[in-house]
Amino acid sequence: MLKKIRLERFKNFKEAELTLGNFTILVGTNATGKSNIGDALRFLHGISRGYNLAEILGEKWGQGGFLEWEGIRGGKQNITFQNFPTFAIEVTLYFPEEFECDEAGNLIVKTQDKYELIYRIEVNPGINGKLPKLVEESLYYQKSLKLKIENLPNNSGKMLLQIYEDSETKKIIEFPTKADKPLLIDSDLINNIFSENEINKSISHDIDFYINEVLDELSHLQFLDLFPDAMRRPSNPGQNILGDRGENLSSVLQGICQDQNLKIGVLEWLKALTPMDATDLEFVTDITGKILLVLIEANGQKIPIISASDGTLRFLAIIAALFNESDDLPNFSCYFLEELDNGLHPTRLHLLIELIETRVKQTNLQIIVTTHSSQLLRLLSYETLQNTSLTYRLENQPDAKIKRIFDISPETETLIKEQSLARLHESGWLENIMEFSQEDE
Ligand SMILES: Nc1ncnc2c1ncn2[C@@H]1O[C@H](COP(=O)(O)OP(=O)(O)O)[C@@H](O)[C@H]1O
Ligand SMILES: [Mg+2]
């Protein structure tokens, strides 16, 4: 799972770090960088797709002339903070080795053999028509530096690969530059380098293994910005990936409901979340052969998804995301969900929070959401509160910052217990205290 993401000179962050939990909440006034964090994660996801830097930042067109990837919101021209030449993103990934379920069906880590991988990439995005370039790339296994690879383009047009086995033993290899593409995804190049140079077999095996771990983890990031009209469209049978806007909702749910246990889970939550408008699901094939979801109302009336309400569709899509994996683990996925509370009635919000908090415990899912809803904050469990962070800007400073709510001040936790985070949020206390503590310094 993602444990930490660090941003340097990325969009409106000069230097900021976000700690992530199973369920992470991002709050903060408009334009403080919540979605920019999503963009940074999307950049990392782009790497796992094997694209080069120009494609990740710009766009990727596939053979046959279709758009495969939309690039990073805002493009590359304005991606670095205040036109700095480079930006860097560092992600810490945490791998608990094995899971098992306790009696309540919650996941617990079985072995203690857990480890961390830290991947960092620094990029010059190349403004005014220049191509983006890799400035530096590194992968550490454990903080104590058991293994580290560093990829540094040097002045002579060559890349330097430095492999550390521990903090002292170092091997440096020079190889022809390929600064347009992260080394991480160039397994051919890595294999060539390893076969032409004298590198301990077990080390090259380790490097290969850890690189794949990182890529695998990043490949399971998904970004949901749900649009009701996209969710209403019928979808092709067998399509089991929920689109970023909620596309394929009908066929994804159909796939999930083929598993009886999952179907029971889905219906249970659906009935609780939308007691009037959906107690059962049916899937019909339309005249074009596509799948169309039909909601069975409590009174037996059938409502095709085309006529379902926006709020119901959002519930359905979130349920689909949360159940769209088998309970056989580990099968990590991480969703970044924009404005979780959007279009949902406050009385249903508590169930939605309960659903997410339950699912992240039962599965290998990680959920990151942004919200403006104080109501939602009122409903969070203590554990989720611990993973709630504020994005904010100070009056006289150009950059935005990120702070875990519980780290704001030593009294914050007590204050939240007494007043609830919701009240602190709606009164603007969170932003004010940051301003005050800045003045104190
Ligand atoms: N390269 C950049 N340098 C400085 N600020 C930037 C840069 N790119 C975007 N921003 C700022 O980021 C803010 C938008 O952040 P965003 O993540 O969309 O906010 P929200 O918290 O509402 O999701 C805007 O104020 C925009 O000016
Ligand atoms: Mg936003």
Side-chain angles (χ1 to χ4, degrees):
M1 67 179 273
L2 277 68
K3 197 174 166 188
K4 207 190 290 172
I5 179 163
R6 192 182 148 75
L7 309 172
E8 293 166 38
R9 304 173 302 283
F10 183 80
K11 296 216 161 181
N12 65 342
F13 297 106
K14 193 167 172 211
E15 229 185 311
E17 205 171 270
L18 171 70
T19 311
L20 297 146
N22 291 327
F23 183 22
T24 306
I25 313 274
L26 293 172
V27 291
T29 47
N30 297 106
T32 45
K34 299 181 295 299
S35 303
N36 289 342
I37 296 170
D39 293 334
L41 289 168
R42 237 179 134 253
F43 175 83
L44 293 172
H45 177 67
I47 294 176
S48 76
R49 290 188 167 216
Y51 301 155
N52 67 35
L53 293 169
E55 292 164 340
I56 299 171
L57 297 174
E59 52 196 14
K60 167 71 178 171
W61 287 82
Q63 290 287 335
F66 63 93
L67 189 60
E68 241 176 65
W69 168 259
E70 282 183 21
I72 303 299
R73 191 176 58 125
K76 69 180 184 126
Q77 189 76 7
N78 195 29
I79 199 167
T80 60
F81 173 70
Q82 289 198 330
N83 300 321
F84 269 85
T86 70
F87 70 86
I89 301 175
E90 181 184 283
V91 64
T92 305
L93 301 171
Y94 171 74
F95 298 85
E97 279 279 82
E98 269 182 68
F99 296 98
E100 69 184 358
C101 284
D102 66 8
E103 277 136 37
N106 293 328
L107 277 184
I108 46 171
V109 179
K110 205 170 94 186
T111 61
Q112 291 305 306
D113 193 13
K114 48 194 186 268
Y115 59 94
E116 274 179 24
L117 293 176
I118 302 172
Y119 176 65
R120 181 178 186 278
I121 182 165
E122 183 173 349
V123 171
N124 178 336
I127 57 164
N128 299 330
K130 290 203 196 97
L131 282 175
K133 264 193 172 152
L134 190 67
V135 177
E136 208 179 301
E137 195 181 5
S138 63
L139 178 66
Y140 301 68
Y141 168 64
Q142 309 280 46
K143 268 214 186 92
S144 55
L145 197 64
K146 256 175 133 174
L147 182 72
K148 173 186 178 187
I149 61 165
E150 253 179 5
N151 180 17
L152 307 162
N154 68 4
N155 295 333
S156 62
K158 292 231 172 168
M159 303 284 268
L160 292 181
L161 179 67
Q162 314 201 8
I163 300 168
Y164 297 70
E165 292 171 51
D166 50 56
S167 36
E168 267 123 62
T169 334
K170 179 162 74 168
K171 174 130 188 112
I172 298 184
I173 302 164
E174 276 204 11
F175 59 98
T177 182
K178 254 205 178 177
D180 65 329
K181 207 174 180 180
L183 182 66
L184 199 69
I185 50 172
D186 213 335
S187 53
D188 286 349
L189 184 64
I190 292 178
N191 286 336
N192 277 343
I193 296 168
F194 288 172
S195 63
E196 285 164 18
N197 292 275
E198 227 175 80
I199 296 174
N200 185 318
K201 268 252 153 18
S202 84
I203 289 186
S204 60
H205 174 270
D206 281 358
I207 292 176
D208 202 43
F209 177 81
Y210 295 130
I211 285 177
N212 281 317
E213 290 279 83
V214 173
L215 291 176
D216 188 53
E217 201 90 342
L218 298 180
S219 73
H220 288 106
L221 281 164
Q222 234 206 297
F223 303 85
L224 293 182
D225 198 359
L226 300 170
F227 282 83
D229 282 347
M231 298 187 262
R232 287 194 176 95
R233 258 172 251 143
S235 54
N236 286 306
Q239 201 49 264
N240 62 0
I241 293 185
L242 195 63
D244 290 354
R245 299 188 167 84
E247 296 97 334
N248 302 326
L249 182 57
S250 287
S251 51
V252 169
L253 282 168
Q254 187 188 36
I256 295 170
C257 288
Q258 271 158 11
D259 179 320
Q260 273 312 311
N261 285 335
L262 289 179
K263 183 174 183 182
I264 291 168
V266 166
L267 287 179
E268 214 174 281
W269 284 104
L270 193 63
K271 279 183 213 159
L273 286 162
T274 60
M276 305 280 273
D277 45 336
T279 51
D280 201 359
L281 303 177
E282 252 178 42
F283 300 89
V284 297
T285 310
D286 76 1
I287 194 164
T288 65
K290 289 188 173 173
I291 304 295
L292 195 69
L293 172 66
V294 177
L295 305 170
I296 317 282
E297 290 197 340
N299 59 14
Q301 190 172 287
K302 294 186 176 184
I303 308 289
I305 193 170
I306 302 176
S307 335
S309 87
D310 291 4
T312 303
L313 288 167
R314 292 184 64 88
F315 275 137
L316 282 167
I318 294 168
I319 289 176
L322 292 170
F323 282 87
N324 194 16
E325 60 165 4
S326 70
D327 282 334
D328 306 337
L329 294 155
N331 196 356
F332 172 79
S333 25
C334 175
Y335 286 95
F336 187 94
L337 231 155
E338 287 277 2
E339 315 207 346
L340 179 66
D341 49 289
N342 197 351
L344 303 181
H345 191 270
T347 54
R348 295 291 139 72
L349 214 47
H350 79 277
L351 279 165
L352 184 64
I353 295 298
E354 198 185 316
L355 167 63
I356 298 177
E357 288 182 342
T358 311
R359 280 308 279 177
V360 297
K361 281 201 190 116
Q362 288 173 345
T363 63
N364 213 354
L365 273 170
Q366 199 174 6
I367 310 284
I368 306 164
V369 305
T370 70
T371 183
H372 288 300
S373 162
S374 303
Q375 166 75 13
L376 183 150
L377 300 179
R378 196 167 276 122
L379 304 165
L380 301 178
S381 70
Y382 179 75
E383 199 181 340
T384 310
L385 280 174
Q386 285 182 311
N387 293 311
T388 301
S389 284
L390 175 74
T391 53
Y392 65 99
R393 273 185 67 176
L394 298 172
E395 223 160 79
N396 296 318
Q397 289 186 17
D399 62 321
K401 303 200 183 324
I402 306 171
K403 191 117 185 156
R404 218 170 63 103
I405 300 282
F406 279 7
D407 291 339
I408 288 179
S409 79
E411 298 86 48
T412 315
E413 203 174 322
T414 328
L415 213 72
I416 287 172
K417 275 195 192 124
E418 287 163 5
Q419 301 219 12
S420 95
L421 179 57
R423 286 191 61 183
L424 303 177
H425 179 247
E426 54 202 11
S427 65
W429 181 87
L430 296 171
E431 283 80 12
N432 289 341
I433 184 115
M434 297 320 304
E435 201 69 59
F436 286 138
S437 52
Q438 176 69 13
E439 281 165 18
D440 287 349
E441 278 168 25

